[in-house]
Amino acid sequence: MNILNWNKNFNRLREAVSTQAPVELWRTAAQKATWQGVSIALLATVSTVASMDAAAVPLFARQTGQNCQACHAGGQFPELTPYGRMFKLTGYTLGQRTSMPVALMAVFTSTSAPTNSSPNVPGSPQVGGVGTPNNGTPTFATASLFAGGKLTDSIGMLAQYSFDNYAGDTGQSGRMFSDNTDIRYAKHIINNQTDLIFGFDANNNPGVEDVWNSSGAWGYNVVPGSAGAGPSALQPLLLSQGLGQQAVGAGAYMYWNKTLYAELSGYRTGDGVFSFLTHNYGQTYIQGTNPYVRLALTHDWGTSNAMVGYTYFDANVYEGAVGSSLVDEHRDNMVDFQYQYLLDPSVVTVEMADANEQIFYGGGGATDTINTFRAKASYTYQAHYGASLSYFNASNTANNTSFQGCADGTAGNVGQCGAEGWTPEVYFMPVQNVRIGLQYTMFSTVNGTTLNASQNNTTMLYAWTAF
Amino acid sequence: MNKAILSAVLGAALLATGCSNLQSNTASIRDLNDPSVSGHVLAEQVCSMCHGVGGNSINPTFPRLAGQQPAYLVEQLKAFRSHSRSDVAGYQYMWGIARSLTDKQIDELAQYYKGQIPVPGPARNAGLVAQGKAIFLNGVEATGVPACASCHGPQGYGHDGFPRLASQHDNYILKQLSVFKHTNDRYTGMGTMMSPVAYNLSGDQAREVAAYLSSQP
């Protein structure tokens, strides 16, 4: 069924919605935080976006005039198709400048996570869920404004500004902040003999510039509130986005013959003139310029494409204030793999990432190691119905007692700690601007032990929309 | 360490800048709303991302355009632009691409692809190919399906508004036969001729013809 038919089907829904403006309905939903409110807002959103034609959807779709699934595998944000990767690597410049270079995204979630104060002790007092403080309560989780797109024939940008409704953890003191920003300059030399893209990139989150969705930004469990690796696992900086909106970086990249991708960037603290690209709270400082290297080999054949890649990131992070605290070196190495099958009506994506971080503590302290393995397979049918299955296994040593240790801070937990589990998910996209999904995260290990790990299992229902 | 890193980054930047200067005589413009950009540049900078450089696409979602008949391509691009061709993949991918193309750019795109050399498709099951060849050359008398070759030429190269089908992806041919058979999404221009043909072609016969055509040079 195509979107034109959906338009007809939703005419009746539109008539059922009150004449109140969608924005007002959203505000109502956020304030009341009830499913009734969320439902009304969603209905208003669905009926509004359904009345638009295929070209009247978010920023890049307006620019190219194409459907979301041209760039996103099965229309499923954020996984990219080969064309979507080319669009990003050529600097978001394909298409035509629009009179409205902005888009809005919002996510509603309801998370049920019976997490106790001690994840391995049954019956201990409840302290809140894994993904959201409003455990089990429908939540207007976050909203983002995207701006940018094609600026010149060679320069393009994606800038995200977000509102985290629960940054103040009570739902009453949300926070707006500068989110992922990616600015590019790109050239494409292409003819029957040569195919070379090269460009420059500036961004505020190591890995946000990547096009294979393996790093933390635009990666795994991108829906806010997803349980991910749970409450008791540390993750390498690249996956945890530990320097997201804390550092700014610039570098150069090239993609040759749709076969070899190489990038070298350097990151520094996003303070001073760059502070507009960082959170306006809790600045993390890094020492000097820190290297980020990305290599990938890709191949397209028939209905398939595959990638095997490597990422290196070495960041010297101050434990506290600049000049008055020790500096810890976080050295990340990640190997990742992706396979994609694309042929209407089916889209399959399989992703794997194996990341290792060595932490060398300043002052001659002990070293620690974090290992994280993640895999995800997703299937989408007709860009409407889909399911995915994710696996995560994160573990870390806790040799340095001044470091976080096991993430829950459990005393005496020196040695290995971490989490392992699976997240099955089903999702439905009635129109290309709306996705409704249900995730269930099953923990088999929490804090390095299987003891009562399953009591941390998390259910999350979410509704995502962008227009 | 940091100096070395900075040097490396700057070195890469300078290298890229050098490439940029080498590139300066060749357009690298992906603006679909600039009538001064030639069809040749658009074919390389935009169309190649899906249809492959030279029009030999890899994924069968996107038809192979190398060697395609110019009159056919012109009609299709104008049909996308006017939304008179509305098959699902067509509007999802092509309405936006074609929305601001000028007639001149469309003519140049058609001439560009006419001048490209088609790459033969992969070998297919010999039995299917033989059956498909018979249908392509002789039609199916029992159900009144005419010989495809009578319009598309004995080698499937097409002529004028009749498209080239040789070396086309078999999955693309199958999907288009289904569009002609089950919808009116391509009931425009020369496409109106295909509906009755596709209607009388069975699923197996369509697969046989597609296998034959995709394996032709």
Side-chain angles (χ1 to χ4, degrees), chain A residues 168-358:
Chain A
D169 87 11
T170 64
Q172 305 302 318
S173 57
R175 181 177 279 156
M176 294 199 74
F177 58 93
S178 179
D179 209 332
N180 293 322
T181 299
D182 186 31
I183 305 168
R184 289 170 180 269
Y185 168 92
K187 287 284 186 184
H188 193 180
I189 303 171
I190 181 168
N191 52 47
N192 285 339
Q193 288 78 44
T194 306
D195 184 354
L196 175 68
I197 295 172
F198 65 91
F200 303 102
D201 184 276
N203 65 75
N204 66 347
N205 188 356
V208 77
E209 70 272 44
D210 200 56
V211 295
W212 286 281
N213 308 103
S214 291
S215 54
W218 306 141
Y220 181 87
N221 284 329
V222 76
V223 177
S226 297
S232 59
L234 296 176
Q235 293 203 50
L237 282 176
L238 270 176
L239 301 182
S240 67
Q241 302 186 71
L243 293 178
Q245 294 81 52
Q246 300 295 311
V248 293
Y253 65 92
M254 56 146 267
Y255 189 36
W256 176 71
N257 272 357
K258 292 183 181 173
T259 301
L260 173 65
Y261 176 83
E263 177 193 345
L264 177 61
S265 292
Y267 285 87
R268 53 154 286 170
T269 302
D271 57 1
V273 295
F274 299 111
S275 56
F276 71 99
L277 289 169
T278 61
H279 287 318
N280 56 2
Y281 55 94
Q283 177 70 56
T284 298
Y285 293 91
I286 55 178
Q287 188 180 53
T289 302
N290 301 264
Y292 170 97
V293 178
R294 173 66 155 143
L295 298 170
L297 285 171
T298 67
H299 183 59
D300 290 16
W301 74 100
T303 54
S304 302
N305 66 85
M307 179 278 300
V308 58
Y310 167 72
T311 309
Y312 172 82
F313 184 48
D314 193 349
N316 292 317
V317 183
Y318 285 103
E319 291 184 4
V322 179
S324 61
S325 67
L326 295 173
V327 175
D328 303 333
E329 181 184 358
H330 294 245
R331 188 182 297 165
D332 286 16
N333 286 279
M334 180 171 75
V335 175
D336 58 335
F337 166 81
Q338 186 171 132
Y339 168 81
Q340 211 169 49
Y341 171 92
L342 294 167
L343 186 65
D344 183 61
S346 296
V347 174
V348 175
T349 306
V350 177
E351 302 165 85
M352 281 186 271
D354 192 355
N356 166 277
E357 180 172 287
Q358 295 283 334

Side-chain angles (χ1 to χ4, degrees), chain A residues 76-134:
Chain A
Q76 183 202 186
F77 171 86
E79 290 170 7
L80 293 174
T81 62
Y83 174 67
R85 294 178 203 127
M86 294 291 281
F87 177 80
K88 184 169 176 176
L89 291 174
T90 52
Y92 310 113
T93 57
L94 189 152
Q96 54 194 64
R97 279 181 287 274
T98 68
S99 56
M100 193 167 72
V102 293
L104 288 170
M105 177 184 85
V107 181
F108 299 87
T109 60
S110 173
T111 305
S112 178
T115 301
N116 301 328
S117 56
S118 180
N120 303 105
V121 180
S124 55
Q126 296 258 336
V127 293
V130 172
T132 166
N134 270 18

Side-chain angles (χ1 to χ4, degrees), chain B residues 61 120 178:
Chain B
T61 303
S178 177

Side-chain angles (χ1 to χ4, degrees), chain A residues 63 67 93 95 188-189 289, chain B residues 2 23 30 32 45 92 99:
Chain A
Q63 177 178 314
N67 192 284
T93 57
H188 193 180
I189 303 171
T289 302
Chain B
N2 284 339
Q23 160 75 3
R30 294 166 287 278
L32 288 166
Q45 292 289 329
Q92 287 178 339
R99 62 183 161 175

Side-chain angles (χ1 to χ4, degrees), chain B residues 111-125:
Chain B
Q111 290 305 322
Y112 170 84
Y113 285 112
K114 175 63 179 173
Q116 302 303 307
I117 300 168
V119 174
R124 296 295 178 194
N125 177 285

Side-chain angles (χ1 to χ4, degrees), chain B residues 138-154:
Chain B
N138 306 314
V140 184
E141 191 173 347
T143 53
V145 174
C148 316
S150 60
C151 291
H152 293 280

